[in-house]
């Protein structure tokens, strides 16, 4: 177990260095905002969220309120040794991040995993990428992108893994660094929501999901954002392939 933790830590050091460079030039950070706009303008994508809204909000309220009640003051006391008067402020995003992690584990495992997949796939269908979706699930006829989704053949999302938990705990001490440490912690956590080459997507997505209660809404808009991003990549690759074929034929 100790060797596994050391291996994960070494991998993270290398990845963070690469992520920092790539995020500076990536425009992927725009997609979470595009996801919100697209979601709000396409009511047909709301059904998965609305069907899970009640119980998920209840869990979110319970997790956030419990975490602040039981852990906020102890963490303020701990941070006070290194941050002094900034401790009450720094403890807020720390508790929110912990609440977000706990909420994600509970909600994604027991409540909204299938709904998030439906939102992602429905967005791809709305972007005329039904053949791509058909590789992982059955599709029905119709105009409603969510209504067309049938039985899943395979699930694309992995459940919360021990590796993810180790990485989260490894980054927690960053919060002991006044002000900057909290920002670095959020950036490091943001990587889990986006590929390593586009960590800026994950940073913005993570910040949105840290917002108490409203984070459930942004969990769905982030799936829309990821689908929009995937659709743009797929269409660019298709265009490039067509260009290469045309060039070969012209020769």
């Amino acid at each position: 177990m100790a060797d596994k933790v050391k291996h994960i830590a070494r991998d993270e050091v290398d990845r963070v260095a690469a992520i920092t460079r790539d995020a500076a030039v990536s425009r992927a950070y725009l997609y979470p905002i595009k996801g919100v706009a697209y979601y709000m303008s396409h009511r047909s994508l709301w059904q998965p969220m609305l069907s899970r809204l009640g119980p998920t909000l209840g869990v979110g309220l319970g997790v956030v309120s419990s975490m602040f009640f039981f852990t906020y003051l102890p963490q303020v006391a701990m941070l006070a040794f290194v941050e002094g008067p900034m401790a009450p402020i720094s403890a807020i995003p720390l508790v929110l991040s912990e609440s977000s992690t706990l909420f994600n584990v509970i909600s994604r495992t027991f409540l909204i995993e299938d709904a998030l997949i439906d939102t992602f796939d429905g967005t791809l269908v709305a972007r005329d990428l039904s053949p791509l979706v058909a590789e992982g699930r059955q599709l029905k006829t119709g105009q409603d992108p969510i209504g067309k989704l049938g039985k899943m053949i395979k699930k694309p999302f992995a459940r919360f893994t021990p590796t993810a938990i180790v990485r989260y705990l490894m980054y927690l001490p960053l919060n002991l660094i006044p002000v900057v440490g909290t920002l670095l912690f959020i950036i490091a956590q943001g990587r889990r929501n986006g590929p390593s080459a586009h960590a800026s997507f994950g940073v913005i997505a993570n910040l949105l999901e840290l917002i108490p209660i409203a984070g459930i809404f942004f969990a769905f808009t982030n799936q829309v954002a990821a689908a929009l991003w995937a659709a743009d990549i797929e269409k660019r690759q298709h265009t490039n392939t067509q260009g290469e074929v045309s060039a070969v034929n012209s020769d």
Side-chain angles (χ1 to χ4, degrees), residues 169-198:
L169 294 175
M170 188 178 70
Y171 284 123
L172 269 179
L174 285 174
N175 290 279
L176 297 176
I177 304 173
V179 184
V180 177
T182 300
L183 178 60
L184 292 175
F185 177 79
I186 292 173
I187 292 173
Q189 283 298 293
R191 188 187 64 78
R192 78 173 192 263
N193 290 324
S196 59
H198 299 91

Side-chain angles (χ1 to χ4, degrees), residues 21-173:
R21 293 192 300 270
D22 294 338
V25 297
S26 172
R27 295 179 62 85
Y29 57 85
L30 295 175
Y31 278 96
I33 309 303
K34 292 179 180 180
V36 174
Y38 192 90
Y39 190 73
M40 293 300 296
S41 62
H42 290 74
R43 297 189 63 176
S44 58
L45 299 175
W46 295 5
Q47 190 273 330
M49 183 187 73
L50 294 177
S51 67
R52 307 291 204 285
L53 191 59
T56 306
L57 284 177
V59 170
L61 282 169
V63 168
V64 173
S65 58
S66 297
M67 288 296 291
F68 270 96
F69 183 80
F70 290 108
T71 72
Y72 177 69
L73 289 179
Q75 292 186 83
V76 168
M78 180 183 67
L79 291 173
F81 288 104
V82 292
E83 299 199 7
M86 294 299 297
I89 297 176
S90 296
I92 293 175
L94 179 58
V95 175
L96 287 177
S97 178
E98 293 163 350
S99 301
S100 175
T101 300
L102 182 58
F103 173 67
N104 279 330
V105 171
I106 297 173
S107 63
R108 290 176 186 268
T109 302
F110 300 107
L111 297 174
I112 64 172
E113 181 183 26
D114 289 344
L116 291 174
I117 296 172
D118 287 347
T119 302
F120 182 89
D121 288 346
T123 303
L124 290 179
V125 171
R127 290 292 303 272
D128 300 322
L129 286 173
S130 295
L132 185 63
V133 177
E135 295 177 6
R137 72 188 306 163
Q138 298 172 355
L139 290 179
K140 307 173 186 177
T141 58
Q143 299 298 320
D144 181 6
I146 299 297
K148 292 177 67 174
L149 301 177
K151 182 180 179 181
M152 282 184 283
I153 301 173
K154 55 184 179 181
K155 291 188 177 183
F157 294 162
R159 294 182 184 274
F160 217 75
T161 63
T163 297
I165 295 174
V166 169
R167 285 175 175 154
Y168 175 82
L169 294 175
M170 188 178 70
Y171 284 123
L172 269 179

